């Protein structure tokens, strides 16, 4: 139980680093006063993770950790590959590989060793009676390998990871200029320089062009730490998620929530997009709640009331529509900022009452009230004549 708890703690730390932009699927930043070859930040954590698994005698899990880190474009990717080579060289293949992979590699190297099919296999258990040996390469984890066979399998193991390492090295080289251009990877209320914003935009476009979704999303998350106060980056991330073949609704909702409730609680367009998203995904009540919330921040903006009314109309909530019309007509009647639009709203209400509700009397009352209000406003604006 204690071992599982420790492993869970390590995995949690790696997850946190992946989200916050100091580890996981990204390069780590180079400190100015340190040599470039020093291992930084998440590199150290990955290295400690491997050593911890080895100390727990979990060599297969240690190999799995190596397989993960060798695919990540970290600054210390070469160091990790060298550590992996040493790890393979100092351990038996049957101890570091899952059984299926070990047996598969063993079957591949047997022909190259030119073993005759009728002679006993080198390293096979001599205690097994003749005729009862298993198929070649399937003796299991208790098999003792001879030196040539073990070395051949080790070469296969390293060779299969070397291609991954080379591809990863190319990824590091391609991204290094962008990483060098990130001068402030943390959040700050101070505005970013234009060159910093351009670097983030170019970096995002580069990753999107590569098409690796995991890396793209991690880079967006890193970007939104430094550029949290820039609405355009939130919008770009949301658009990217929505353009995927199978959009993750929960992830999109999470991005909207963080943007509108934490960093941009007064941004109108972002709230409009969020409301439209919720309505499209069948959550009309949430859409109405979003519009009502942003209306409190912009009480003078007439577009929000019109959107609330339009939403109620699409839901065919006639009582709600009429209640909103009555409420806004009463408010706009005395509000100097909305008085110029009062008569237009009254006409819309009367039209709705006539066409949808089939209530002509209600429509006439609304128009009469609007005419009287308009007349009172004009009388109040007249300048007294000087005698």
């Amino acid at each position: 139980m204690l071992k599982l708890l420790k492993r869970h703690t390590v995995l949690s730390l790696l997850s946190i680093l992946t989200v916050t932009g100091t580890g996981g699927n990204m390069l780590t930043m180079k400190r100015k006063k340190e040599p470039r070859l020093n291992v930084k930040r998440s590199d150290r954590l990955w290295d400690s993770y491997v050593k911890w698994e080895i100390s727990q005698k979990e060599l297969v899990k240690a190999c799995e950790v190596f397989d993960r880190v060798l695919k990540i474009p970290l600054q210390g990717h070469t160091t990790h590959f060298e550590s992996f080579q040493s790890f393979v060289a100092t351990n038996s293949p049957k101890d570091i590989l899952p059984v299926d992979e070990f047996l598969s590699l063993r079957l591949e190297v047997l022909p190259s060793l030119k073993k005759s099919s009728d002679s006993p296999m080198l390293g096979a258990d001599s205690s097994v009676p003749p005729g009862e040996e298993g198929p070649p390469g399937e003796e299991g984890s208790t098999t003792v390998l001879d030196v040539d066979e073990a070395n051949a399998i080790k070469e296969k193991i390293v060779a299969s990871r070397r291609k991954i390492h080379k591809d990863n090295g190319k990824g590091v080289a391609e991204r290094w200029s962008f990483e060098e251009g990130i001068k402030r990877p943390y959040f700050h209320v101070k505005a970013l320089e234009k060159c910093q914003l351009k670097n983030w935009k170019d970096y995002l476009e580069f990753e999107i062009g590569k098409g690796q979704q995991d890396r793209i999303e991690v880079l967006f998350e890193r970007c939104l730490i430094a550029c949290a106060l820039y609405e355009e980056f939130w919008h770009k991330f949301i658009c990217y998620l929505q353009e995927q073949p199978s959009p993750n609704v929960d992830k999109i909702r999470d991005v909207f929530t963080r943007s509108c409730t934490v960093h941009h609680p007064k941004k109108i367009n972002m709230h409009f997009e969020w409301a439209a998203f919720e309505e499209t995904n069948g959550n009309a009540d949430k859409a109405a709640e979003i519009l009502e919330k942003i209306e409190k921040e912009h009480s003078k903006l007439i577009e929000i009331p019109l959107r609330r009314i339009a939403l109620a109309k699409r839901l065919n909530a006639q009582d709600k529509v009429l209640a909103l019309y009555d409420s806004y007509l009463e408010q706009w009647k005395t509000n100097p900022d909305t008085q110029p639009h009062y008569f237009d709203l009254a006409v819309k209400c009367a039209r709705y009452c006539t066409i949808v509700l089939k209530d002509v009397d209600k429509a006439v009352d609304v128009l009469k009230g609007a005419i009287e209000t308009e007349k009172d406003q004009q009388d109040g604006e007249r300048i007294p004549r000087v005698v």
Side-chain angles (χ1 to χ4, degrees), residues 289-300:
E289 178 185 334
I290 293 168
L291 293 176
E292 184 177 0
K293 175 187 173 184
I294 193 63
E295 185 180 21
K296 295 177 182 178
E297 301 291 343
H298 302 276
S299 58
K300 299 179 181 180

Side-chain angles (χ1 to χ4, degrees), residues 110-149:
L110 285 178
S112 64
L113 297 176
K114 299 181 180 180
K115 293 177 180 280
S116 58
S117 59
D118 57 346
S119 62
M121 184 178 302
L122 291 176
D125 190 350
S126 60
S127 63
V128 179
E132 296 186 9
E133 300 89 346
E138 296 188 5
E139 286 75 9
S141 60
T142 60
T143 301
V144 178
L145 302 176
D146 67 2
V147 176
D148 292 338
E149 189 175 354

Side-chain angles (χ1 to χ4, degrees), residues 17 27 111 148 166 178 184 262 294 301 319 345 361 375:
L17 285 176
L27 294 163
D148 292 338
K166 289 182 178 180
F178 295 114
R184 197 178 78 187
V262 179
I294 193 63
L301 189 66
D319 293 340
L345 185 66
D361 294 336
K375 183 178 179 181

Side-chain angles (χ1 to χ4, degrees), residues 51-314:
K51 291 179 179 178
W52 180 77
E53 292 287 12
I54 294 174
S55 69
Q56 300 296 313
K57 309 300 182 183
E58 296 284 358
L59 300 183
V60 175
K61 292 186 179 296
C63 187
E64 291 174 354
V65 176
F66 271 121
D67 286 338
R68 290 173 58 188
V69 73
L70 290 176
K71 298 176 183 178
I72 301 173
L74 297 170
Q75 182 178 337
H77 66 286
T78 301
T79 303
H80 291 305
F81 185 68
E82 292 172 353
S83 299
F84 175 71
Q85 289 178 302
S86 300
F87 171 75
V88 173
T90 55
N91 293 282
S92 174
K94 66 183 179 61
D95 295 332
I96 65 176
L97 295 177
V99 176
D100 293 342
E101 184 178 356
F102 168 70
L103 295 178
S104 176
L105 289 178
R106 196 175 189 202
L107 287 173
E108 290 180 17
V109 302
L110 285 178
S112 64
L113 297 176
K114 299 181 180 180
K115 293 177 180 280
S116 58
S117 59
D118 57 346
S119 62
M121 184 178 302
L122 291 176
D125 190 350
S126 60
S127 63
V128 179
E132 296 186 9
E133 300 89 346
E138 296 188 5
E139 286 75 9
S141 60
T142 60
T143 301
V144 178
L145 302 176
D146 67 2
V147 176
D148 292 338
E149 189 175 354
N151 289 338
I153 295 176
K154 289 180 179 180
E155 290 177 3
K156 285 278 187 180
I157 295 172
V158 174
S160 63
R161 274 73 173 180
R162 181 174 284 109
K163 184 179 184 304
I164 296 174
H165 169 64
K166 289 182 178 180
D167 293 340
N168 194 26
K170 293 178 182 178
V172 172
E174 291 174 341
R175 294 167 176 81
W176 191 250
S177 61
F178 295 114
E179 290 291 336
E180 286 287 294
I182 299 174
K183 305 303 180 185
R184 197 178 78 187
Y186 51 87
F187 173 80
H188 199 284
V189 294
K190 184 179 178 181
L192 280 169
E193 298 175 355
K194 291 183 178 180
C195 61
Q196 289 282 288
L197 296 175
K198 184 178 184 302
N199 184 65
W200 278 114
K201 291 177 183 178
D202 293 343
Y203 199 175
L204 288 169
E205 290 298 330
F206 168 80
E207 284 292 1
I208 292 174
K210 289 294 183 180
Q212 299 184 34
Q213 186 171 355
D214 291 342
R215 289 185 178 179
I216 295 170
E217 292 184 9
V218 169
L219 182 61
F220 265 115
E221 293 292 352
R222 291 180 62 198
C223 173
L224 292 178
I225 294 173
C227 307
L229 300 181
Y230 294 86
E231 184 183 5
E232 59 185 294
F233 290 100
W234 292 95
H235 182 265
K236 188 178 185 69
F237 190 19
I238 291 169
C239 288
Y240 168 77
L241 293 174
Q242 290 178 330
E243 291 170 358
Q244 298 308 301
S246 300
N248 188 328
V249 175
D250 292 335
K251 183 180 288 291
I252 297 172
R253 180 176 289 116
D254 174 68
V255 178
F256 269 123
T257 302
R258 284 186 286 154
S259 174
C260 295
T261 62
V262 179
H263 299 287
H264 302 285
K266 297 182 180 181
K267 293 292 185 179
I268 299 172
N269 291 333
M270 185 63 72
H271 281 78
F272 285 169
E273 292 180 16
W274 187 14
F277 166 78
E278 294 293 355
E279 182 184 358
T280 302
N281 287 277
N283 196 354
D285 292 338
K286 182 64 177 179
E289 178 185 334
I290 293 168
L291 293 176
E292 184 177 0
K293 175 187 173 184
I294 193 63
E295 185 180 21
K296 295 177 182 178
E297 301 291 343
H298 302 276
S299 58
K300 299 179 181 180
L301 189 66
I302 65 171
E303 186 177 359
I304 300 175
L306 296 179
R307 283 180 177 263
R308 292 188 64 191
I309 293 172
L311 174 61
K313 287 181 179 179
R314 289 193 294 272

Side-chain angles (χ1 to χ4, degrees), residues 321-334:
V321 173
L322 193 58
L324 287 172
Y325 269 128
D326 291 341
S327 174
Y328 287 126
L329 285 173
E330 187 65 27
Q331 295 175 26
W332 290 15
K333 183 187 301 185
T334 57

